[in-house]
Amino acid sequence: MPSQPVRSVRRTVRVAAPAHVVYGMLADAPRWPVLLPSYVHVERMDFDGAGETLLAWEFQDGRVRSSRLRRTLRPQAHRVDFEQDDPAWPGDTVAGSWSAEPDGAERSLVTLWQQTPNAPANAPAGPDGLDADTAGRLARLREAAERWDRLDELLLAFEERMRVEGPAELVYDFLYRVEDWPELLPHVDGSSVREDRPGTQVVVLDTAAAGAGPAAGPDDGAAGFETVRLCFPHAGRIVFKETAPPAPLTAHSGEWSLVPDESGLTVVCAHRVLLGEEPLEAALGAGALPVDARRQVRGRLGRESRQTLRLAKWHAESPVRRLRQGRGGSRR
């Protein structure tokens, strides 16, 4: 029986960043959602110092696609080898490698090589899909890497916490049922939710001038910002990523998480933000600096997170309060 033909693509781009910086971005996969536009979430399943297994979710062409990556990290060579199970082509595996070669003190040549058995003619990727995918991934990595000397001031991570003395199930229910938020949250005017499969939501919220909620996206006076949400009810987590955040944001991802204890739980809303550079003055006024954007974004998203947390707390504690009052009345 003849072997299945293999399609292979190798591309190289010049990047204005040192090879060790590019390798660091490639190796730090959990940070991809805030650096690389297509990634919604990356979960490291295991890691032994050299080899790892990742679960990755990407949003492409209006759909969320998940995949499993097995990777070998080679820091001395600035290289990452990988195998990726691609759900678009059942039974096939995309294999390949990333490598970064120094090209002067602060430049590098970055190569992505990928190969896969030829897909059927009706495969979603089409005959040129692998080449387009390779070129697109290189372009997105280059854009992120060339900010390397400014990332400290452009990246922002913070969280808001609230103690809840009520069932975790009710808190999660409130956070999950985002279609009900227009009736409950002052900064949300309308919503639409598409759930192609359970737990994977594509949400569009119409927001008031104050800005969108932390799981839906801030507002710059317009409406209808789109967010992808991955819901993990058994783990008490909802991961979110805005698909096209407005200025001064370039990327905004985060997570709702429920941390139970003996008498209740703590609800945490974590945000990871990448600020833009060119849009700062247009968004914040003449002379605006990254520190101004950090202050404005931190204040607004923090305020909106607290609004949502207070409503989640009320939603969870009200039935408990009524139950306690009813029990108290029955004893009198």
Side-chain angles (χ1 to χ4, degrees):
M1 183 175 178
S3 60
Q4 192 174 11
V6 173
R7 185 165 68 253
S8 178
V9 174
R10 184 186 301 271
R11 280 178 173 263
T12 299
V13 297
R14 181 170 278 105
V15 177
H20 72 273
V21 169
V22 176
Y23 172 80
M25 288 188 174
L26 292 169
D28 190 8
R31 201 163 63 151
W32 288 353
V34 79
L35 294 175
L36 303 176
S38 66
Y39 283 94
V40 175
H41 181 56
V42 178
E43 191 98 6
R44 179 176 278 139
M45 305 304 293
D46 60 62
F47 182 54
D48 63 9
E52 65 181 0
T53 302
L54 306 173
L55 292 181
W57 288 261
E58 292 185 80
F59 187 67
Q60 296 176 312
D61 301 321
R63 298 289 181 221
V64 179
R65 296 173 59 186
S66 61
S67 60
R68 182 183 295 267
L69 290 91
R70 293 170 293 277
R71 308 203 312 165
T72 301
L73 307 181
R74 307 184 189 280
Q76 298 301 320
H78 298 150
R79 175 181 169 130
V80 179
D81 299 324
F82 65 86
E83 290 186 349
Q84 179 173 3
D85 297 326
D86 190 335
W89 301 342
D92 287 345
T93 296
V94 177
S97 65
W98 289 91
S99 61
E101 178 185 349
D103 183 34
E106 295 190 352
R107 301 183 68 87
S108 56
L109 294 173
V110 181
T111 299
L112 173 57
W113 167 71
Q114 297 190 98
Q115 73 171 23
T116 185
N118 275 341
N122 62 349
D128 300 320
L130 191 65
D131 187 67
D133 179 77
T134 302
R137 292 183 186 279
L138 278 168
R140 292 190 290 270
L141 176 69
R142 177 170 59 185
E143 182 179 3
E146 290 186 344
R147 299 188 184 105
W148 69 277
D149 58 345
R150 306 180 299 282
L151 280 180
D152 284 348
E153 63 180 13
L154 295 176
L155 285 170
L156 175 63
F158 63 93
E159 63 183 34
E160 298 289 342
R161 293 171 168 261
M162 186 160 292
R163 174 75 185 162
V164 177
E165 295 182 0
E169 294 80 4
L170 291 181
V171 175
Y172 189 89
D173 177 74
F174 176 85
L175 297 173
Y176 179 81
R177 295 176 61 84
V178 66
E179 66 271 16
D180 294 339
W181 286 10
E183 300 176 4
L184 300 169
L185 292 170
H187 54 267
V188 179
D189 295 330
S191 68
S192 66
V193 181
R194 190 181 86 232
E195 194 160 350
D196 295 329
R197 57 181 179 270
T200 301
Q201 300 176 330
V202 179
V203 178
V204 178
L205 294 190
D206 297 332
T207 61
D219 183 71
D220 62 350
F225 289 105
E226 183 181 65
T227 297
V228 176
R229 306 201 326 161
L230 306 175
C231 305
F232 305 99
H234 297 297
R237 302 170 63 204
I238 297 177
V239 176
F240 60 87
K241 166 78 178 279
E242 288 188 75
T243 61
L249 299 168
T250 295
H252 176 207
S253 68
E255 178 177 339
W256 295 98
S257 57
L258 280 57
V259 184
D261 56 41
E262 294 180 355
S263 59
L265 68 150
T266 299
V267 187
V268 182
C269 184
H271 296 269
R272 294 177 292 275
V273 169
L274 177 64
L275 300 173
E277 297 175 281
E278 292 78 7
L280 283 184
E281 291 198 0
L284 302 178
L289 300 172
V291 66
D292 303 312
R294 292 170 68 90
R295 186 182 304 112
Q296 190 261 4
V297 168
R298 174 66 178 89
R300 176 162 48 84
L301 292 180
R303 179 175 63 253
E304 293 158 2
S305 299
R306 292 189 296 274
Q307 286 180 345
T308 308
L309 287 166
R310 282 193 292 269
L311 265 294
K313 177 181 175 73
W314 175 86
H315 183 76
E317 291 183 351
S318 293
V320 175
R321 190 178 301 113
R322 289 195 297 268
L323 179 61
R324 288 173 178 169
Q325 290 172 347
R327 287 176 175 173
S330 65
R331 290 194 296 268
R332 288 195 294 269

